[in-house]
Amino acid sequence: MTLPIAVPWLSTQTNQDPRAATGRRLKWGVVSTGNIANSVSQDLALLEDAELYAVSSRTQVAADAFAHTLGFAKGYGDDGDVPGYQRLFEDPAVDVVYVATPHAQHFQIAAAALRAGKHVLCEKALTINAREATELVKLARKHHVFFMEAVWSRFLPSMQRAFSIAASGELGQIQWVSADLGFPAPYDPSARIWALNDGGGALLDITVYPLLWALGTLGFPQSVTAIGTLNEDGVDSQNALTLGYDTGAQAQLTSSLMAHGPRTATVAGGLGFLQTVGSVNNPRELMIRIGWDEPRREHFDVVGTGYTYELREVTRCIQQGLTESPVMPLEDSVNVMRLFDGVRSQLGIRYPNDARRVDPAVSQPRRRVPPS
C-alpha cells in the first residue's frame, strides 16, 4: 500500500474560544436523534453564531421530542415514502447539515444533502469504503458546498499542541508512535457498533483515534500490516495495525471492543518523547520529556464536551466561503478510507455496501403525489 505523506494538520484557531462568533449566524440541521447527535447538538448550542434549527428522524414523534429537548425550531419525520432527512434538506432555511447516522447510511444521506446544496459535516467514518468517499467528494465539489468528516479529536487543543510539538523538532525525528483505544462492548448484533449492515466493528468506529496519532506526527504510511479478531458475523472485535514508513519510522495501533486498555498515545523521537494523560481521543494533559531531563506537563481544558472545536472550524470555513477545511482536507478523509479498505482486505471484512453500485446521481426519493 502506498499513500501520500501528509503534513501536520495545524490549526490557527486553538487559542481562541470556540464559542465566539466568527461571522454570520448559520442555521443547522441534524440528521439522527441518537447519542452522538445529542452530544454534538449540546455543544453546537454553545456557539454564538449557530442556531439549532431542524432535526430529522424516522418518526415525527422522535423528531419532535428531540427538537423539544434540545431546543430545535423544527422536527422532520418520515412522510410516507419521503424520508425525514429529505424533508429537512428541502427546507430552504437550513444552511448546514450534520449527519450522525450509522456509517453505512452516510453515503446515501450525505449525497442527498449535497445535491440539495447544503453544507455537510458527516460523522466518521466518512463512508464504508474509499469508493463511496471519492464519490461524495466529487459531488461536494460539483455543487460548490462545504464538506468535512467529523473527526472531532483532530481539532482539540491538546492534540493540536501534540502535533505542533512533534513538528517543531523538539523531540527530534519521530521514530515510533504507539496508541490504543479499547473497552468491552457487550455483544448485541442489533446494536450499531456490532451490526454488519451498519458498518459495525472496531475498525470503522474507533481505530480512527489511535490512527490520528500516527497520521498527525508521521503522515500516511508506505505500508500497513493488520491482524484482527472477527466474530461469527464477520465484524472485527479488535485489530492491531503496524504502519511502516520509508524513513524507518513505525507505528503500532490497537483498537478493541473486547478489553479495557490504557488509552494512551506515545510519540517518540531521537531527542525525547511525549505521552498523553487521559483518554487518547480527548487527552487533558501531555507529558513531555527531553532526554533524561525531568518531564514537564502541559494541561488542557475543553469547552463543552470537546466537539465545539470542530464545529467552530466548520462554521468559520462556511462563513469564509471555503468548501473544505485546511485542517481536515477531503483528500485525507479519502486516503483514510483507502487505508481502511486495505486493512479490511487483510482481515477479510466485507460490508453490504461494498457490493452496491455507487452513483451519487441516483434519483431523489419519490414524493407522494397528492390525489387530484
Side-chain angles (χ1 to χ4, degrees):
M1 176 185 297
T2 300
L3 293 170
I5 296 175
V7 296
W9 322 303
L10 301 181
S11 171
T12 60
Q13 309 298 313
T14 52
N15 293 325
Q16 301 177 16
D17 187 336
R19 294 167 293 193
T22 50
R24 66 182 178 89
R25 191 173 181 85
L26 300 179
K27 292 186 176 182
W28 284 74
V30 173
V31 179
S32 179
T33 55
N35 290 335
I36 185 64
N38 186 305
S39 297
V40 172
S41 294
Q42 290 186 55
D43 271 14
L44 184 58
L46 300 177
L47 272 61
E48 296 174 356
D49 45 0
E51 179 180 341
L52 302 183
Y53 177 73
V55 62
S56 73
S57 185
R58 286 188 294 261
T59 70
Q60 190 63 49
V61 170
D64 288 342
F66 191 92
H68 176 75
T69 300
L70 276 297
F72 285 83
K74 293 187 176 183
Y76 290 104
D78 291 359
D79 183 11
D81 58 357
V82 181
Y85 66 78
Q86 189 63 44
R87 296 179 62 208
L88 185 152
F89 301 157
E90 291 173 357
D91 187 329
V94 174
D95 295 307
V96 52
V97 171
Y98 168 57
V99 178
T101 59
H103 313 315
Q105 300 173 24
H106 288 176
F107 176 79
Q108 179 182 355
I109 294 174
L114 295 169
R115 284 195 302 265
K118 305 301 183 185
H119 303 295
V120 175
L121 173 66
C122 183
E123 257 309 323
K124 57 82 188 163
L126 184 62
T127 52
I128 288 293
N129 53 47
R131 184 179 55 173
E132 289 183 338
T134 299
E135 293 298 331
L136 287 182
V137 170
K138 290 179 180 178
L139 194 57
R141 289 172 175 163
K142 175 183 177 181
H143 290 275
H144 307 290
V145 291
F146 180 85
F147 184 40
M148 193 183 89
E149 182 182 14
V151 185
W152 66 286
S153 298
R154 189 163 176 164
F155 298 91
L156 291 169
S158 57
M159 295 195 75
Q160 285 284 312
R161 175 59 177 155
F163 298 156
S164 178
I165 291 172
S168 73
E170 182 181 4
L171 306 179
Q173 183 172 338
I174 305 304
Q175 300 293 346
W176 62 266
V177 173
S178 68
D180 76 280
L181 180 58
F183 53 88
Y187 174 70
D188 178 355
S190 65
R192 174 196 61 79
I193 200 169
W194 287 111
L196 186 69
N197 288 342
D198 287 337
L203 183 67
L204 294 190
D205 205 76
I206 63 174
T207 298
V208 63
Y209 297 118
L211 180 62
L212 274 177
W213 289 94
L215 300 187
T217 57
L218 288 170
F220 282 91
Q222 282 68 63
S223 67
V224 179
T225 303
I227 59 173
T229 303
L230 273 60
N231 66 15
E232 60 184 14
D233 300 322
V235 172
D236 69 303
S237 53
Q238 66 180 12
N239 63 71
L241 312 183
T242 298
L243 279 54
Y245 295 82
D246 288 346
T247 61
Q250 56 187 306
Q252 287 80 37
L253 315 173
T254 303
S255 308
S256 178
L257 299 177
M258 300 173 66
H260 288 291
R263 302 185 185 185
T264 59
T266 302
V267 179
L271 299 178
F273 71 93
L274 68 79
Q275 193 166 57
T276 61
V277 179
S279 183
V280 69
N281 61 335
N282 190 4
R284 300 301 178 90
E285 184 176 301
L286 297 176
M287 189 270 286
I288 302 99
R289 182 169 184 172
I290 305 303
W292 303 109
D293 295 345
E294 285 297 311
R296 76 173 190 271
R297 293 177 179 268
E298 298 186 10
H299 301 268
F300 304 87
D301 294 320
V302 298
V303 174
T305 307
Y307 301 108
T308 49
Y309 300 93
E310 73 170 0
L311 295 170
R312 170 52 55 204
E313 176 69 3
V314 173
T315 301
R316 180 189 67 82
C317 287
I318 294 172
Q319 290 166 340
Q320 294 182 2
L322 303 179
T323 55
E324 64 181 291
S325 165
V327 186
M328 184 76 208
L330 293 171
E331 183 180 10
D332 279 8
S333 293
V334 172
N335 283 330
V336 167
M337 294 314 305
R338 288 175 179 152
L339 189 153
F340 284 168
D341 283 356
V343 171
R344 290 202 294 121
S345 178
Q346 293 183 51
L347 300 185
I349 304 169
R350 288 191 58 81
Y351 296 114
N353 284 39
D354 294 326
R356 296 175 186 168
R357 183 176 68 89
V358 173
D359 181 4
V362 292
S363 60
Q364 299 279 3
R366 292 182 301 166
R367 299 310 306 255
R368 289 187 299 170
V369 178
S372 57

